Amino acid sequence: VIGTGEQNGRLDTSAKMLSGYYYRIEQIYQKLYARLLYPVCLIHGAALLPNAFLLVTSVSAYLSAVLTILLPLYILAFCAYSLHCYCVENENAQYARLLLAVPIAGKYFLKSEYSRYCRVLALMFGTGAPVSKCLQSGADVLKNRVLKDAVNRASFEVARGSNLTDAFRKSDEILPVIKEFIETGEMSGEIPESLEKAADILFEESEHHLDIALKIFPQIIYFAVAAYIAFVVISFYSGMFSQFGDIH
């Protein structure tokens, strides 16, 4: 984007668009950190505090009890993250479809990907780059194989001589809002502005889905932690009462 902007004498426009693009990404990361910090701390607290009484008898027993809970969670999180990175890097189509099919989170992935795509298209069109280069740069930022194939089909139609509106309308996987704003931009001659608006709309909708997911996920964690603490307390007192029964 910077290179194209420099070649076309629009470096200031390119830099301004890039700053807005990365600012929105930073906002998402900050929201994720803020919303997930407390549930993560709660999980560790649930593992550390209920077993604290074991410190009276044996530190090794305490560490063993804590690791019995946390170690499988660490392994599970590491394996899930590694699998995600592997499937994304290798553009696994089945995994891409699975991500899009996940309730609520799938809509977030769909709209955040297309928001990023529209944002990069707007950046590239705004620098005056050739259409083919704009479409290629937009496709390169997509991490989901299914969505990348959809926009690449539209790019192929453009290369064959079709206009942007007709090319994008032939792909069912591309969201209607993108098709509408591309048509509006092509008719008005303001494609970068139209794509920027489409990116803003999709970004706001993806944030809405992310907010829902971040409300549901902590509730699941709270319920699981409460159930675990209840299990530990009941097990402790049932064992203590059984010992009193044996004494009597």
Side-chain angles (χ1 to χ4, degrees):
V1 174
I2 293 294
T4 306
E6 191 173 21
Q7 290 176 5
N8 297 322
R10 299 180 180 178
L11 185 59
D12 56 337
T13 303
S14 301
K16 184 177 179 180
M17 289 182 173
L18 278 175
S19 66
Y21 171 71
Y22 284 110
Y23 174 73
R24 288 179 175 88
I25 293 177
E26 183 64 23
Q27 281 184 313
I28 292 176
Y29 285 141
Q30 288 180 358
K31 181 178 291 187
L32 284 172
Y33 294 148
R35 296 286 185 89
L36 295 179
L37 179 61
Y38 181 68
V40 169
C41 292
L42 192 63
I43 291 173
H44 286 79
L48 296 171
L49 297 179
N51 296 298
F53 67 92
L54 294 174
L55 288 171
V56 178
T57 57
S58 172
V59 175
S60 60
Y62 174 73
L63 292 176
S64 176
V66 170
L67 290 177
T68 301
I69 301 168
L70 294 181
L71 190 59
L73 294 178
Y74 291 155
I75 294 174
L76 180 63
F78 175 78
C79 291
Y81 179 74
S82 300
L83 178 63
H84 172 75
C85 292
Y86 174 81
C87 291
V88 170
E89 183 177 351
N90 290 275
E91 297 185 344
N92 186 287
Q94 292 182 342
Y95 180 74
R97 292 190 187 91
L98 179 64
L99 275 183
L100 296 177
V102 176
I104 303 175
K107 292 183 179 180
Y108 165 73
F109 291 130
L110 174 67
K111 294 181 179 180
S112 62
E113 282 275 276
Y114 272 136
S115 173
R116 186 163 59 248
Y117 173 73
C118 289
R119 193 84 61 190
V120 172
L121 275 187
L123 285 168
M124 294 302 294
F125 275 111
T127 60
V131 174
S132 58
K133 187 173 183 179
C134 294
L135 296 175
Q136 183 60 52
S137 298
D140 288 342
V141 302
L142 291 174
K143 299 179 181 179
N144 189 286
R145 173 66 181 276
V146 174
L147 305 184
K148 180 176 284 191
D149 288 345
V151 299
N152 279 335
R153 285 194 294 271
S155 301
F156 178 72
E157 292 295 328
V158 172
R160 292 178 59 185
S162 178
N163 60 34
L164 288 172
T165 301
D166 293 339
F168 276 79
R169 286 200 180 279
K170 291 180 180 179
S171 185
D172 295 333
E173 289 85 359
I174 296 177
L175 293 175
V177 64
I178 299 176
K179 300 175 183 179
E180 292 171 4
F181 273 96
I182 283 180
E183 182 177 7
T184 302
E186 201 166 32
M187 291 175 62
S188 63
E190 298 179 347
I191 293 179
E193 292 79 3
S194 293
L195 286 169
E196 192 71 27
K197 290 177 182 177
D200 289 338
I201 291 172
L202 291 170
F203 179 79
E204 291 175 3
E205 291 181 356
S206 68
E207 274 202 317
H208 173 68
H209 294 302
L210 180 62
D211 288 337
I212 295 174
L214 291 177
K215 287 179 182 177
I216 294 175
F217 178 73
Q219 298 299 324
I220 296 173
I221 297 298
Y222 300 154
F223 178 78
V225 169
Y228 170 73
I229 293 176
F231 171 77
V232 170
V233 172
I234 292 171
S235 299
F236 174 75
Y237 281 106
S238 61
M240 186 173 63
F241 289 142
S242 64
Q243 289 180 358
F244 286 155
D246 292 340
I247 293 174
H248 290 297

